[in-house]
Amino acid sequence: MSQPIFRFEFDFDVPVPEGTEALLLRCARQCLRAEGVSLPSAAYLRFTDDDSIHQLNREYRQVDRSTDVLSFPSAAFSPRQTAGHAPQLLHREWDPELRACVLGDIVISMDHVRAQAAEYGHSVTRELAYLTVHALFHLMGYDHMNDKDKEQMRAMEEKALNAAGISRVSDDELIAKAKDAMQFSYSPYSKYKVGACLLSADGRLFTGCNIENASYGATNCAERTALFKAISEGAREFVTIAIAAEKSLPWPCGICRQALNEFAPDLRVIVACGDERDEMNLRDLLPHSFGPSTGTGDYLGKD
Ligand code: THU
């Protein structure tokens, strides 16, 4: 799927941290991608304070208290139906001026955002990203009235946040786990130990090390060990890989780039050696790649 198109119409009653708009746009695109919405989409997002959200909550929902976020969907999805499965409903919300289908309105109280960020021990921007993603899935027909729906909505939120690089797992943690994985490296021939840690879109971590062989060509790199472990346990979408080595920055070899490209052409690739680290996107490490949707790629999903 190419990059989904999303537009926010922002309204500021109160200030927000610098960079918020770009961050939320990145999150919104990942929500569309996770949901499989390919129509250009948009939402109105107003940042306000507790007093104003309290008023809105009373007026529109007859709930007499302030809250963190309110969402007002445009389309009426029927139960069990979400935006990705109802393009015809979304299409009715087409706004010629915005050149997008309007998913609805979101209101966020910055007073609540700050309080919740402090309570959960994370940044104001992470809390903002989470609330926006939560609201966007509401606008796309998700709810959390029962445990099953709640679980499904949480999984979608997690997927979008991870893909937007706002994972619960920090880069430092990924690198630490990649370094830990180096201890299991079987590399008697090269003596070049490599460890990798791969983060899947559903939040799981898979580690791997390089495994050499007396017949050198049978060697498996750390990245592919981690990738194959992940694939064999059902993970199919990935967000970030951290790769660590002792002797130099271990940029992945060509075979690993190709193997990773099959599942995650947009993967963040972080390399680390001691205190040194660097990062690139797989798209830049493997330009003009041959992947599932090129050439004979038509076979995917077909017999
Ligand atoms: N190696 C990796 O594990 N990952 C890479 O991306 C580059 C190379 C391993 C393979 C071999 O065991 C050793 O490093 C030296 O090539």
Side-chain angles (χ1 to χ4, degrees):
M1 188 175 172
S2 58
Q3 175 92 297
I5 295 174
F6 193 89
R7 290 183 236 289
F8 272 120
E9 284 290 300
F10 291 114
D11 196 357
F12 301 93
D13 294 341
V14 294
V16 297
E18 204 183 316
T20 294
E21 294 93 325
L23 168 80
L24 298 189
L25 188 59
R26 206 167 78 219
C27 292
R29 286 203 191 105
Q30 295 303 340
C31 290
L32 292 188
R33 189 187 287 267
E35 176 62 13
V37 171
S38 51
L39 287 167
S41 306
Y44 291 90
L45 204 178
R46 174 172 163 201
F47 301 97
T48 196
D49 55 19
D50 270 356
D51 283 346
S52 303
I53 211 166
H54 187 159
Q55 272 178 25
L56 292 167
N57 211 10
R58 197 167 40 211
E59 194 173 327
Y60 291 101
R61 297 178 63 235
Q62 290 72 51
V63 180
D64 194 9
R65 58 174 163 77
S66 71
T67 185
D68 46 4
V69 60
L70 290 175
S71 43
F72 303 96
S74 315
F77 299 106
S78 53
R80 312 243 150 262
Q81 190 185 42
T82 57
H85 307 104
Q88 69 289 354
L89 272 185
L90 257 195
H91 209 261
R92 284 192 216 151
E93 307 305 326
W94 179 259
D95 180 323
E97 260 175 46
L98 288 177
R99 283 177 295 112
C101 304
V102 178
L103 298 176
D105 289 70
I106 301 171
V107 183
I108 291 179
S109 162
M110 287 306 290
D111 292 331
H112 259 77
V113 169
R114 276 189 294 273
Q116 284 172 190
E119 186 186 336
Y120 300 138
H122 57 224
S123 66
V124 166
T125 42
R126 195 199 185 282
E127 184 63 17
L128 262 172
Y130 172 70
L131 291 178
T132 305
V133 164
H134 183 72
L136 283 169
F137 279 110
H138 270 313
L139 298 189
M140 293 197 289
Y142 285 79
D143 221 320
H144 41 81
M145 302 299 259
N146 61 48
D147 284 351
K148 192 164 165 266
D149 289 354
K150 192 171 174 175
E151 199 181 305
Q152 265 172 6
M153 190 173 181
R154 271 305 303 151
M156 294 300 280
E157 290 166 359
E158 200 68 26
K159 190 170 167 181
L161 285 167
N162 280 330
I166 308 171
S167 152
R168 287 180 192 284
V169 189
S170 67
D171 289 354
D172 284 348
E173 270 173 85
L174 286 180
I175 292 169
K177 288 209 154 52
K179 284 182 177 170
D180 277 353
M182 272 193 306
Q183 69 183 296
F184 301 119
S185 163
Y186 176 75
S187 42
Y189 306 104
S190 73
K191 303 201 165 37
Y192 188 89
K193 289 179 193 240
V194 189
C197 183
L198 181 62
L199 171 64
S200 62
D202 57 14
R204 283 184 283 169
L205 296 178
F206 300 91
T207 57
C209 62
N210 53 336
I211 308 166
E212 297 187 344
N213 195 279
S215 174
Y216 294 177
T219 291
N220 207 57
C221 294
E223 299 88 318
R224 274 176 291 141
T225 306
L227 177 68
F228 296 158
K229 279 171 71 180
I231 298 300
S232 65
E233 289 179 33
R236 287 291 184 274
E237 288 177 62
F238 305 97
V239 179
T240 309
I241 189 167
I243 315 160
E246 287 174 326
K247 297 181 178 169
S248 60
L249 286 178
W251 290 107
C253 75
I255 299 175
C256 287
R257 292 178 198 203
Q258 182 66 28
L260 291 165
N261 180 66
E262 183 74 17
F263 300 96
D266 223 0
L267 190 70
R268 288 177 65 218
V269 179
I270 303 172
V271 287
C273 175
D275 291 336
E276 202 186 341
R277 69 170 77 168
D278 203 347
E279 173 181 339
M280 274 182 82
N281 190 285
L282 186 60
R283 284 194 194 285
D284 302 316
L285 288 172
L286 194 67
H288 306 291
S289 66
F290 190 90
S293 57
T294 16
T296 55
D298 245 349
Y299 66 86
L300 265 195
K302 296 185 182 164
D303 290 337

